[in-house]
Amino acid sequence: MTAADDKLKEYREKRDFARTAEPSGGVIEPSEDHRLLCVQKHAATALHYDFRLELDGVLKSWAVPKGPSLDPADKRLAVMTEDHPLDYGDFEGVIPAGEYGGGAVVLWDTGWWEQDHTREKKPREGGPSTPAEHLAAGELKIILHGEKLKGSWTLVQMKGRGERNWLLIKHRDEASRPGYDLVTEAPLSVLSGRGVEEVLEGTPPVPGSRIAEGGGSPPVSPAADDAG
Ligand code: MN
C-alpha cells in the first residue's frame, strides 16, 4: 500500500469498477517535473467542472459549479472533493446512471501547472513552502499551462465556511479576460471535440481532435518535451 493508495481510499470506496469505466488508479507513476492539470466538465445531477491538480501522487480535486473564469472579478466557489488517481487525467466518457457521479464527463482542459512563487507572501521561518504546505495553510498560488486556462491563479480556502469550500480566482495578467464567459465560449472537449450531449450519446470523436488522431494522453511539461 503506497501513500497514493492511502489517499485514494475514499475515491475507490465510492465506485464499483466493474460498472464504471473510470480508472481505479495506479497506472501512471507520479513524477516531479510533470504536474498534471486537468478539468473535467461533468454533467452529473448538477453540471459542474472538476478542477484537478497533480500533487504528491494523486489529483487534488475541487468541484467548481460555475466553472473557472478568466475574469479576475469572478470568484468561483470550488468545493474540495476526494483525491483522484493520476490516470483520471485523460478520462472522458459516461459514468453509468445509478453509479457515483453518474452522467457524461468531458475532458474540458488539460495541461500542467507550477507554483507561482512571485505571488506568494514573503516567506517566513517555518511558513509554507511546498504546494502541499500552501494548501494546508489555505492558499496556493499557481500558474496554469492549460489549453484554456492560462496564467496566474489563486486557490484560497474560505475560512469559517467549512474546510471544503475554496475560491478559484484568476489573477490580473496577460491571460486574464475581464467580461469573457469562457465556459460558454469554449464548451467542448480538448480530447475529442465533443460536448457532454455527444459523449452521452456515444458520438465518435470529431475528426482532427487529439483522440481521433491517435493521441489520447494529456500533454506533458516542457521539461519532459525537451527530453524527447
Ligand atoms: Mn464531478
Side-chain angles (χ1 to χ4, degrees), residues 63-208:
V64 184
K66 291 185 172 177
S69 173
L70 297 175
D71 186 341
D74 291 336
K75 296 176 169 59
R76 292 289 158 88
L77 175 66
V79 181
M80 194 178 249
T81 59
E82 76 273 21
D83 294 344
H84 277 51
L86 294 183
D87 36 354
Y88 213 94
D90 61 0
F91 176 72
E92 175 169 301
V94 180
I95 301 170
E99 296 304 302
Y100 182 74
V105 176
V106 155
L107 189 59
W108 185 77
D109 200 15
T110 57
W112 58 285
W113 71 277
E114 60 188 315
Q115 248 179 301
D116 188 355
H117 294 291
T118 67
R119 305 255 181 180
E120 286 167 4
K121 292 182 184 106
K122 206 161 148 242
R124 56 184 169 82
E125 191 85 32
S129 165
T130 67
E133 288 166 354
H134 281 282
L135 278 183
E139 189 168 85
L140 177 64
K141 312 281 190 184
I142 49 181
I143 299 172
L144 302 183
H145 303 269
E147 295 183 30
K148 296 173 183 171
L149 303 182
K150 297 178 188 298
S152 181
W153 301 67
T154 191
L155 270 165
V156 60
Q157 199 169 20
M158 296 169 75
K159 295 277 152 78
R161 301 270 193 94
E163 61 181 21
R164 285 188 170 258
N165 288 349
W166 294 64
L167 293 172
L168 176 64
I169 309 164
K170 180 79 193 79
H171 286 134
R172 206 172 303 279
D173 61 13
E174 64 287 338
S176 57
R177 293 187 67 181
Y180 185 71
D181 185 356
L182 177 66
V183 294
T184 302
E185 297 294 333
L188 303 178
S189 166
V190 294
L191 184 68
S192 68
R194 299 177 296 178
V196 283
E197 293 79 10
E198 292 157 295
V199 169
L200 196 60
E201 289 161 8
T203 308
V206 172

Side-chain angles (χ1 to χ4, degrees), residues 42 44 48 50 52 63:
H42 185 185
H48 60 273
D50 290 300
R52 310 189 199 278

